Amino acid sequence: MASKAGISTLSRQRILSAWLFLTPMLLVLASVAAYPLIRTIYFGFTDASIDLIGQAQWVGFRNYLEYLDYGDGEGEYFGLLVDADWWRAVWNTLRFTIISVFFETVFGLVIALVLNREFRGRSLVRAAVLIPWAIPTIVSAKMWAWMMHDQFGILNDMLLRLHIIAEPIAWTASPDTAMLAVLIVDIWKTTPFMALLILAGLQMVPGDIYEAARLDGVGPVRLFLRVTWPLIMPAVLVAIVFRALDALRVFDIIYVLTPNNERTRTMSVFARDNLFDFDKFAYGSAASTLLFLIIALLTISFIWATRMNVEADER
Amino acid sequence: MQPLKALATAIIGSSLMVYSASAAELNIVHGAIGKDNEVLRAELDRFEEQTGHTVNIVSMPESTTDQFGQYKLWLAAQSSDIDVYRIDVIGAPQIAEHFVDLTEHTKDIIGDFVPAAVESQTVGDKLVALPMFLGAPALYYRKDLLEKYNEPVPKTWQQMTETAKRIMEAEREAGNSDMWGFVFQGAAYEGLTCNAQEWIASFGGGRIVETDGSIGINNPKAVEALELAKSWIGSIAPEGVLNYKEEDARGLFQSGNAVFMRNWNYAYALAAGDDSPVKDSFAVTTLPVGAEGEKSAATLGGWHLGVSKYSKHPEEAIELVRFLNNYDNQKERAIITSRPPTLNAVYADAEVGEAQEFIPLWKPVVDNALPRPSAATKRKYNEVSSEFWTAVHNTLSGDGSAEQNLRKLEARLNRLRGSAW
């Protein structure tokens, strides 16, 4: 009994000091994350306009959904929830995320496996691989925009010389290749990030497991599938979550490479257009709110789904 | 007591004088293309010399849409960082309330300015910005190639299409495989709105939104205009034109790889520059018409200087605006950057005419230029323009026919308007 009381005093103290340590962080988070978020959500329910924010009036759910009655029994729905442009942006974002994260994971895994081997100059290669990721996105997007330029671009020049294409491709302009162009740049840029995270996971795998497997005469493919993959799986999943979160709010690459193009407009670009270019700050705020909800929902469900898997594997 | 008071007065007085004569630091923001930055810097250096103030240039990206977004953010934050904004001709009605009314400060000189320019910057009774230079696009053409193939300067868009095709094909056969017929601004941005409203208006298809706010953009003439433009893509214009802005088009034309180009006046000085491969072989004319009897339409462009209401040095800023738009500076800009001035008198200046032969000829074009519907659609203009360029861009890239896209556009504009603009 006495010992129990002692523990609870101790744990109470620990809880207290934990709160003490956490409070500054919570305050900072509240002011830089929670406050802007709540304000954005609030503006989504008003008729705010960017340069006259003080005059915002509460309008309820109108930015999301509104039924306009024509008075003769007919009517129409308006608002973000029935806005085809918005859903197109959502679909573009999801498509971009799924394809880019898939390829980044595959390429990242391959690069990580190579870098995990001992060879001369490994640290140099490891540093070199990181370069695309280290270049600011705006810079690399602009660089690629020039490389993909239909008349002056080096990409078309190389493909033409190799006789892979007969005519220059307008990479960023043509509706058929706009998304492809964006994907190429994003995959080029972010694969190193995946490689790095997966490499960290690979280096956690103890070497004696491989030694034991080799003594048992396990082939390389089986070794990867049965030993390496299950062990690095948690690290890969974490990397995928990070990457997917990033990809879902993709903005800069698209804004530089293919601005104002319906084929590549993502949720963030849609929100920005409405917030700053159009006189629709409130509508843009509503879009930002939905963007936040969609990302939160996807992340939670992804973590939930994969944690189940991880647990199943451990059993 | 008396001497003390005198002394105090003297000290206060002199400190006030020092204060009012003290040098202010001003910031001017503009989006530079071509030679804008160098010319502005040179003019600012002279201003600094004369007044003792310092002026910094804040430079913006080429796209006017991007510039305007940033301007709105600064103005919304009531930032005093920027004193003088160079705003696009379409900007004034949307952000008028953030600028100092220049009516009183310019009433002694405003009569010398091109009326259409002043009108475009007047919202209600307020003069939002003092016109700096105008833009009225031209059709640039390769006179050497036209002579070589014995073709006249085209009067209609159809003629231009045929001439471009003929010369392009002949030149390609002669081994010039990079040759194209026509380049313009086809990226999905404000520039495409300008290009496309010229096609439509010169076909007799009216404006995107008429001055009274009515919408009649879905009409057979507009369809015809867009269908012709659609036929250019991939035939006389590279498919990449769908992502070209001003400088991309100029790059192609100036390197000698295009027969025709639609561009603003700034490109003239650069294409005629010493390092330009086409400096002796091109000329400009007014934009073609849709059919005989129609009028050529040139979008009224231009950039104008407004003084932020949130500036800490409004008086110095107004002084700067007046200085930059005085006769000498306008004349210098006309000669160096080949942009049409906003002072009537500069058009008649012999030296300007000698350096840029087209400028005197451009006065009627400027006087009759086609404004964009920014006054009619007020704060919704950016969205109207975006709807319009999306419809045009979709048509050009083969995403739906001209008819479908215009029908959709009209419905969407009607909805956007609601009960009133």
Side-chain angles (χ1 to χ4, degrees):
Chain A
M1 204 63 199
S3 70
K4 215 174 178 183
I7 290 165
S8 82
T9 317
L10 181 66
S11 70
R12 216 179 304 136
Q13 265 177 3
R14 291 179 69 169
I15 290 170
L16 192 73
S17 55
W19 275 110
L20 254 162
F21 283 119
L22 279 174
T23 313
M25 192 59 216
L26 286 176
L27 281 177
V28 170
L29 271 181
S31 61
V32 302
Y35 172 69
L37 181 68
I38 289 166
R39 229 170 120 80
T40 304
I41 295 173
Y42 162 74
F43 279 132
F45 292 101
T46 66
D47 60 359
S49 150
I50 180 149
D51 53 336
L52 304 167
I53 258 171
Q55 300 167 20
Q57 296 279 323
W58 183 267
V59 297
F61 210 58
R62 205 172 75 189
N63 289 317
Y64 294 94
L65 195 63
E66 182 192 22
Y67 185 73
L68 183 65
D69 200 337
Y70 294 158
D72 51 0
E74 279 185 51
E76 217 179 323
Y77 279 103
F78 291 116
L80 201 55
L81 292 174
V82 289
D83 186 338
D85 287 345
W86 164 252
W87 291 113
R88 192 171 181 160
V90 173
W91 169 237
N92 280 341
T93 316
L94 289 180
R95 203 158 57 116
F96 171 83
T97 303
I98 291 167
I99 301 176
S100 71
V101 174
F102 173 78
F103 281 105
E104 282 154 20
T105 310
V106 172
F107 294 149
L109 187 62
V110 172
I111 294 173
L113 285 171
V114 171
L115 288 180
N116 198 33
R117 308 290 297 211
E118 293 285 347
F119 59 87
R120 273 169 60 99
R122 182 169 76 152
S123 51
L124 204 71
V125 175
R126 211 185 287 177
V129 161
L130 275 178
I131 288 177
W133 190 54
I135 300 175
T137 313
I138 291 287
V139 176
S140 54
K142 200 74 209 165
M143 201 169 81
W144 274 92
W146 275 112
M147 287 167 56
M148 287 175 165
H149 195 283
D150 67 319
Q151 299 297 315
F152 313 122
I154 190 168
L155 207 60
N156 277 334
D157 191 55
M158 291 193 317
L159 293 176
L160 280 171
R161 279 166 201 266
L162 293 172
H163 297 284
I164 294 173
I165 54 174
E167 269 181 32
I169 299 175
W171 291 96
T172 55
S174 159
D176 310 324
T177 53
M179 189 51 120
L180 183 67
V182 171
L183 282 167
I184 290 173
V185 180
D186 192 70
I187 292 169
W188 172 83
K189 182 183 162 54
T190 326
T191 296
F193 172 77
M194 288 302 265
L196 197 72
L197 283 190
I198 298 174
L199 184 62
L202 275 173
Q203 289 183 336
M204 302 284 280
V205 180
D208 47 0
I209 295 186
Y210 289 118
E211 226 162 280
R214 213 169 297 135
L215 284 178
D216 288 344
V218 182
V221 177
R222 243 169 81 99
L223 183 72
F224 174 76
L225 288 178
R226 288 298 171 87
V227 179
T228 316
W229 179 245
L231 285 172
I232 61 165
M233 179 89 143
V236 174
L237 286 178
V238 169
I240 290 179
V241 171
F242 276 7
R243 219 7 249 154
L245 271 179
D246 239 16
L248 284 169
R249 55 189 178 81
V250 61
F251 173 77
D252 32 17
I253 287 191
I254 289 169
Y255 190 67
V256 172
L257 278 179
T258 56
N260 307 321
N261 189 329
E262 277 190 342
R263 302 269 177 154
T264 54
R265 180 176 295 143
T266 59
M267 294 190 283
S268 306
V269 178
F270 179 94
R272 187 208 162 274
D273 279 354
N274 281 288
L275 284 169
F276 302 126
D277 277 355
F278 306 155
D279 192 35
K280 289 167 90 175
F281 191 76
Y283 201 67
S285 297
S288 304
T289 307
L290 274 194
L291 188 158
F292 165 73
L293 286 178
I294 289 175
I295 293 186
L297 209 70
L298 284 173
T299 313
I300 291 169
S301 46
F302 188 82
I303 290 177
W304 182 73
T306 52
R307 182 164 294 160
M308 301 291 285
N309 275 338
V310 173
E311 277 170 6
D313 284 344
E314 276 166 3
R315 250 178 261 136
Chain B
M1 192 65 203
Q2 206 67 332
L4 201 68
K5 200 177 171 186
L7 185 70
T9 317
I11 291 173
I12 292 170
S14 63
S15 68
L16 270 181
M17 264 173 65
V18 167
Y19 175 75
S20 67
S22 75
E25 189 173 345
L26 300 170
N27 291 303
I28 179 169
V29 62
H30 77 157
I33 45 177
K35 298 179 187 167
D36 287 354
N37 234 358
E38 301 150 52
V39 177
L40 183 66
R41 189 64 259 169
E43 290 176 354
L44 292 177
D45 287 345
R46 284 205 297 277
F47 179 75
E48 290 180 349
E49 222 169 85
Q50 283 178 21
T51 60
H53 304 314
T54 332
V55 192
N56 306 313
I57 299 180
V58 180
S59 216
M60 285 273 114
E62 184 188 344
S63 157
T64 154
T65 317
D66 294 347
Q67 291 167 29
F68 196 67
Q70 180 60 52
Y71 289 3
K72 275 208 278 198
L73 283 181
W74 275 325
L75 295 169
Q78 313 204 339
S79 161
S80 61
D81 293 346
I82 307 289
D83 304 284
V84 177
Y85 288 81
R86 194 186 88 180
I87 42 183
D88 195 334
V89 58
I90 51 174
Q94 297 179 64
I95 45 176
E97 50 211 300
H98 300 283
F99 285 87
V100 172
D101 184 356
L102 295 175
T103 316
E104 280 299 310
H105 305 283
T106 57
K107 62 178 175 200
D108 52 326
I109 51 170
I110 203 71
D112 304 335
F113 283 75
V114 173
V118 177
E119 202 180 305
S120 74
Q121 296 310 297
T122 308
V123 177
D125 295 329
K126 182 173 182 176
L127 182 64
V128 180
L130 189 64
M132 186 184 192
F133 57 81
L134 295 168
L139 183 71
Y140 291 69
Y141 62 92
R142 289 283 301 278
K143 58 179 181 208
D144 58 331
L145 291 178
L146 257 57
E147 269 164 32
K148 184 172 163 191
Y149 293 96
N150 201 16
E151 290 279 358
V153 178
K155 288 270 172 282
T156 68
W157 289 107
Q158 285 86 348
Q159 285 168 9
M160 188 218 70
T161 311
E162 285 152 24
T163 310
K165 200 174 174 65
R166 191 180 148 223
I167 297 182
M168 180 184 92
E169 279 166 3
E171 281 291 300
R172 284 189 177 187
E173 231 149 79
N176 196 352
S177 63
D178 290 334
M179 184 55 97
W180 288 98
F182 179 49
V183 283
F184 56 97
Q185 293 77 45
Y189 80 122
E190 189 62 32
L192 180 59
T193 295
C194 299
N195 278 255
Q197 78 155 4
E198 285 158 5
W199 308 331
I200 291 176
S202 69
F203 266 81
R207 300 185 183 194
I208 308 166
V209 174
E210 299 297 334
T211 23
D212 62 359
S214 62
I215 301 160
I217 189 64
N218 181 19
N219 61 64
K221 299 241 165 126
V223 171
E224 202 188 327
L226 289 193
E227 269 170 2
L228 181 69
K230 162 89 184 88
S231 77
W232 298 333
I233 311 296
S235 71
I236 59 169
E239 206 189 350
V241 81
L242 293 175
N243 228 2
Y244 279 11
K245 295 181 181 162
E246 283 85 357
E247 290 289 75
D248 301 283
R250 182 174 71 84
L252 211 67
F253 184 80
Q254 199 169 318
S255 53
N257 290 334
V259 187
F260 295 105
M261 166 176 77
R262 180 265 183 214
N263 213 331
W264 302 95
N265 317 87
Y266 84 98
Y268 189 90
L270 295 158
D274 283 336
D275 55 353
S276 163
V278 297
K279 63 175 171 173
D280 298 317
S281 50
F282 82 99
V284 295
T285 180
T286 49
L287 291 175
V289 296
E292 301 281 352
E294 293 292 350
K295 274 194 348 201
S296 163
T299 299
L300 177 68
W303 294 86
H304 310 308
L305 295 173
V307 174
S308 165
K309 215 165 77 178
Y310 315 110
S311 164
K312 288 200 181 96
H313 312 282
E315 273 174 34
E316 291 84 350
I318 291 168
E319 196 185 340
L320 173 64
V321 166
R322 286 179 58 118
F323 172 82
L324 286 173
N325 286 343
N326 69 21
Y327 189 89
D328 292 337
N329 284 320
Q330 291 231 18
K331 180 177 163 183
E332 181 193 68
R333 277 199 302 270
I335 291 175
I336 301 180
T337 66
S338 69
R339 273 155 150 173
T342 53
L343 284 172
N344 291 315
V346 180
Y347 285 91
D349 191 297
E351 281 175 53
V352 172
E354 205 172 296
Q356 306 290 354
E357 6 178 15
F358 82 94
I359 283 191
L361 307 176
W362 234 244
K363 185 77 192 349
V365 180
V366 167
D367 282 337
N368 297 310
L370 177 70
R372 281 162 273 172
S374 54
T377 58
K378 301 193 183 82
R379 295 176 68 91
K380 287 176 183 163
Y381 172 74
N382 277 6
E383 218 182 335
V384 170
S385 180
S386 166
E387 290 288 353
F388 180 65
W389 82 50
T390 303
V392 177
H393 199 263
N394 282 346
T395 309
L396 296 186
S397 53
D399 192 353
S401 71
E403 208 179 352
Q404 284 169 336
N405 282 319
L406 285 178
R407 200 179 329 126
K408 203 169 129 194
L409 173 69
E410 185 162 77
R412 294 178 69 106
L413 288 182
N414 272 317
R415 182 182 155 234
L416 185 59
R417 176 177 57 182
S419 54
W421 286 111

Short mmCIF file of all heavy atoms in Angstrom, two decimals, chain B residues 212-244:
data_model
loop_
_atom_site.label_atom_id
_atom_site.label_comp_id
_atom_site.label_asym_id
_atom_site.label_seq_id
_atom_site.Cartn_x
_atom_site.Cartn_y
_atom_site.Cartn_z
N ASP B 212 -21.03 47.20 -70.55
CA ASP B 212 -22.20 47.32 -69.68
C ASP B 212 -22.36 46.08 -68.78
O ASP B 212 -23.34 45.97 -68.06
CB ASP B 212 -23.46 47.55 -70.51
CG ASP B 212 -23.76 46.39 -71.45
OD1 ASP B 212 -22.96 45.43 -71.46
OD2 ASP B 212 -24.77 46.44 -72.17
N GLY B 213 -21.41 45.16 -68.86
CA GLY B 213 -21.46 43.99 -67.97
C GLY B 213 -22.15 42.79 -68.58
O GLY B 213 -22.20 41.72 -67.98
N SER B 214 -22.71 42.93 -69.78
CA SER B 214 -23.40 41.79 -70.39
C SER B 214 -22.39 40.80 -70.97
O SER B 214 -21.25 41.16 -71.29
CB SER B 214 -24.36 42.28 -71.47
OG SER B 214 -23.64 42.91 -72.49
N ILE B 215 -22.84 39.56 -71.12
CA ILE B 215 -21.94 38.49 -71.57
C ILE B 215 -22.47 37.89 -72.86
O ILE B 215 -23.54 37.30 -72.88
CB ILE B 215 -21.84 37.40 -70.48
CG1 ILE B 215 -21.32 38.01 -69.18
CG2 ILE B 215 -20.94 36.27 -70.93
CD1 ILE B 215 -21.62 37.19 -67.97
N GLY B 216 -21.70 38.05 -73.93
CA GLY B 216 -22.14 37.47 -75.19
C GLY B 216 -21.01 36.76 -75.90
O GLY B 216 -20.95 36.72 -77.12
N ILE B 217 -20.12 36.18 -75.11
CA ILE B 217 -18.89 35.63 -75.67
C ILE B 217 -19.15 34.38 -76.50
O ILE B 217 -18.39 34.04 -77.41
CB ILE B 217 -17.87 35.35 -74.53
CG1 ILE B 217 -16.50 34.99 -75.10
CG2 ILE B 217 -18.36 34.29 -73.59
CD1 ILE B 217 -15.83 36.07 -75.88
N ASN B 218 -20.25 33.70 -76.22
CA ASN B 218 -20.56 32.48 -76.97
C ASN B 218 -21.29 32.84 -78.26
O ASN B 218 -22.52 32.84 -78.32
CB ASN B 218 -21.41 31.55 -76.10
CG ASN B 218 -21.73 30.26 -76.81
OD1 ASN B 218 -21.07 29.90 -77.78
ND2 ASN B 218 -22.76 29.57 -76.34
N ASN B 219 -20.52 33.20 -79.31
CA ASN B 219 -21.16 33.55 -80.58
C ASN B 219 -20.34 32.96 -81.72
O ASN B 219 -19.17 32.60 -81.54
CB ASN B 219 -21.30 35.08 -80.70
CG ASN B 219 -19.95 35.77 -80.68
OD1 ASN B 219 -19.13 35.57 -81.58
ND2 ASN B 219 -19.69 36.57 -79.65
N PRO B 220 -20.96 32.81 -82.89
CA PRO B 220 -20.30 32.11 -84.01
C PRO B 220 -18.97 32.73 -84.42
O PRO B 220 -18.03 32.02 -84.78
CB PRO B 220 -21.31 32.23 -85.15
CG PRO B 220 -22.61 32.51 -84.50
CD PRO B 220 -22.33 33.21 -83.23
N LYS B 221 -18.86 34.07 -84.32
CA LYS B 221 -17.60 34.72 -84.72
C LYS B 221 -16.47 34.35 -83.77
O LYS B 221 -15.33 34.14 -84.18
CB LYS B 221 -17.80 36.24 -84.72
CG LYS B 221 -18.88 36.69 -85.70
CD LYS B 221 -18.30 37.61 -86.73
CE LYS B 221 -19.24 37.75 -87.89
NZ LYS B 221 -19.56 39.14 -88.19
N ALA B 222 -16.80 34.31 -82.49
CA ALA B 222 -15.78 33.92 -81.51
C ALA B 222 -15.34 32.48 -81.74
O ALA B 222 -14.16 32.16 -81.65
CB ALA B 222 -16.34 34.10 -80.09
N VAL B 223 -16.31 31.63 -82.05
CA VAL B 223 -15.99 30.22 -82.34
C VAL B 223 -15.04 30.15 -83.53
O VAL B 223 -14.03 29.44 -83.49
CB VAL B 223 -17.28 29.42 -82.62
CG1 VAL B 223 -16.95 28.02 -83.12
CG2 VAL B 223 -18.14 29.34 -81.37
N GLU B 224 -15.37 30.93 -84.55
CA GLU B 224 -14.54 30.93 -85.76
C GLU B 224 -13.11 31.35 -85.43
O GLU B 224 -12.14 30.74 -85.89
CB GLU B 224 -15.17 31.92 -86.75
CG GLU B 224 -14.81 31.71 -88.20
CD GLU B 224 -15.34 32.87 -89.05
OE1 GLU B 224 -16.42 33.41 -88.72
OE2 GLU B 224 -14.66 33.25 -90.01
N ALA B 225 -12.99 32.41 -84.63
CA ALA B 225 -11.66 32.92 -84.27
C ALA B 225 -10.85 31.85 -83.54
O ALA B 225 -9.69 31.60 -83.86
CB ALA B 225 -11.81 34.17 -83.40
N LEU B 226 -11.49 31.22 -82.55
CA LEU B 226 -10.76 30.22 -81.77
C LEU B 226 -10.43 28.99 -82.60
O LEU B 226 -9.39 28.36 -82.42
CB LEU B 226 -11.56 29.82 -80.53
CG LEU B 226 -11.68 30.86 -79.43
CD1 LEU B 226 -12.22 30.24 -78.15
CD2 LEU B 226 -10.33 31.52 -79.14
N GLU B 227 -11.31 28.66 -83.54
CA GLU B 227 -11.02 27.49 -84.38
C GLU B 227 -9.80 27.74 -85.27
O GLU B 227 -8.98 26.85 -85.47
CB GLU B 227 -12.25 27.11 -85.21
CG GLU B 227 -13.09 26.10 -84.46
CD GLU B 227 -14.44 25.85 -85.09
OE1 GLU B 227 -14.72 26.45 -86.16
OE2 GLU B 227 -15.21 25.07 -84.51
N LEU B 228 -9.71 28.98 -85.76
CA LEU B 228 -8.52 29.30 -86.56
C LEU B 228 -7.26 29.20 -85.69
O LEU B 228 -6.25 28.62 -86.10
CB LEU B 228 -8.64 30.70 -87.17
CG LEU B 228 -7.45 31.09 -88.04
CD1 LEU B 228 -7.42 30.26 -89.32
CD2 LEU B 228 -7.45 32.57 -88.38
N ALA B 229 -7.35 29.76 -84.50
CA ALA B 229 -6.19 29.72 -83.60
C ALA B 229 -5.81 28.28 -83.27
O ALA B 229 -4.63 27.93 -83.21
CB ALA B 229 -6.49 30.50 -82.32
N LYS B 230 -6.82 27.45 -83.07
CA LYS B 230 -6.57 26.03 -82.78
C LYS B 230 -5.78 25.38 -83.93
O LYS B 230 -4.90 24.55 -83.70
CB LYS B 230 -7.91 25.33 -82.57
CG LYS B 230 -7.91 23.83 -82.68
CD LYS B 230 -7.61 23.19 -81.33
CE LYS B 230 -7.50 21.68 -81.40
NZ LYS B 230 -6.18 21.19 -81.72
N SER B 231 -6.11 25.81 -85.16
CA SER B 231 -5.46 25.18 -86.31
C SER B 231 -3.97 25.53 -86.38
O SER B 231 -3.20 24.86 -87.06
CB SER B 231 -6.15 25.61 -87.61
OG SER B 231 -5.76 26.94 -87.94
N TRP B 232 -3.55 26.59 -85.67
CA TRP B 232 -2.13 26.97 -85.68
C TRP B 232 -1.26 25.99 -84.91
O TRP B 232 -0.11 25.76 -85.26
CB TRP B 232 -1.92 28.36 -85.07
CG TRP B 232 -2.60 29.47 -85.80
CD1 TRP B 232 -2.92 29.50 -87.14
CD2 TRP B 232 -3.06 30.71 -85.25
NE1 TRP B 232 -3.54 30.69 -87.44
CE2 TRP B 232 -3.63 31.44 -86.29
CE3 TRP B 232 -3.01 31.26 -83.97
CZ2 TRP B 232 -4.18 32.71 -86.10
CZ3 TRP B 232 -3.55 32.52 -83.78
CH2 TRP B 232 -4.13 33.23 -84.84
N ILE B 233 -1.85 25.45 -83.81
CA ILE B 233 -1.03 24.67 -82.88
C ILE B 233 -0.52 23.41 -83.56
O ILE B 233 -1.29 22.61 -84.08
CB ILE B 233 -1.86 24.27 -81.64
CG1 ILE B 233 -2.59 25.48 -81.07
CG2 ILE B 233 -0.98 23.61 -80.59
CD1 ILE B 233 -1.72 26.57 -80.55
N GLY B 234 0.76 23.24 -83.55
CA GLY B 234 1.36 22.07 -84.16
C GLY B 234 1.55 22.20 -85.66
O GLY B 234 2.29 21.43 -86.25
N SER B 235 0.85 23.18 -86.30
CA SER B 235 1.12 23.37 -87.72
C SER B 235 2.06 24.56 -87.92
O SER B 235 3.24 24.37 -88.22
CB SER B 235 -0.18 23.53 -88.51
OG SER B 235 -0.80 24.76 -88.24
N ILE B 236 1.58 25.81 -87.72
CA ILE B 236 2.51 26.93 -87.89
C ILE B 236 3.13 27.37 -86.57
O ILE B 236 4.12 28.08 -86.55
CB ILE B 236 1.85 28.14 -88.60
CG1 ILE B 236 0.65 28.66 -87.81
CG2 ILE B 236 1.46 27.79 -90.02
CD1 ILE B 236 0.15 30.00 -88.31
N ALA B 237 2.51 26.97 -85.47
CA ALA B 237 3.08 27.32 -84.16
C ALA B 237 3.50 26.03 -83.46
O ALA B 237 2.79 25.04 -83.55
CB ALA B 237 2.04 28.05 -83.32
N PRO B 238 4.66 26.02 -82.80
CA PRO B 238 5.06 24.80 -82.09
C PRO B 238 4.06 24.49 -80.99
O PRO B 238 3.43 25.40 -80.45
CB PRO B 238 6.43 25.17 -81.51
CG PRO B 238 6.46 26.65 -81.45
CD PRO B 238 5.61 27.12 -82.59
N GLU B 239 3.93 23.22 -80.65
CA GLU B 239 2.98 22.87 -79.61
C GLU B 239 3.36 23.52 -78.28
O GLU B 239 2.51 23.84 -77.45
CB GLU B 239 2.91 21.34 -79.45
CG GLU B 239 1.58 20.91 -78.89
CD GLU B 239 1.55 19.44 -78.51
OE1 GLU B 239 2.51 18.72 -78.87
OE2 GLU B 239 0.58 19.04 -77.86
N GLY B 240 4.66 23.77 -78.11
CA GLY B 240 5.14 24.40 -76.89
C GLY B 240 4.62 25.81 -76.68
O GLY B 240 4.72 26.36 -75.59
N VAL B 241 4.04 26.41 -77.71
CA VAL B 241 3.51 27.76 -77.58
C VAL B 241 2.43 27.80 -76.50
O VAL B 241 2.16 28.85 -75.92
CB VAL B 241 2.96 28.26 -78.95
CG1 VAL B 241 1.58 27.73 -79.21
CG2 VAL B 241 2.99 29.77 -79.03
N LEU B 242 1.87 26.64 -76.19
CA LEU B 242 0.85 26.56 -75.15
C LEU B 242 1.44 26.82 -73.77
O LEU B 242 0.72 26.89 -72.80
CB LEU B 242 0.17 25.20 -75.16
CG LEU B 242 -0.66 24.93 -76.41
CD1 LEU B 242 -1.20 23.52 -76.42
CD2 LEU B 242 -1.81 25.92 -76.48
N ASN B 243 2.76 26.93 -73.68
CA ASN B 243 3.37 27.32 -72.42
C ASN B 243 4.29 28.53 -72.60
O ASN B 243 5.15 28.78 -71.76
CB ASN B 243 4.15 26.16 -71.80
CG ASN B 243 3.82 25.97 -70.33
OD1 ASN B 243 2.99 26.70 -69.78
ND2 ASN B 243 4.45 25.03 -69.68
N TYR B 244 4.13 29.26 -73.69
CA TYR B 244 4.99 30.42 -73.96
C TYR B 244 4.43 31.68 -73.33
O TYR B 244 3.24 31.95 -73.42
CB TYR B 244 5.10 30.68 -75.47
CG TYR B 244 6.09 29.80 -76.19
CD1 TYR B 244 6.67 28.70 -75.57
CD2 TYR B 244 6.45 30.08 -77.50
CE1 TYR B 244 7.56 27.90 -76.25
CE2 TYR B 244 7.34 29.28 -78.19
CZ TYR B 244 7.90 28.19 -77.56
OH TYR B 244 8.77 27.39 -78.23
#
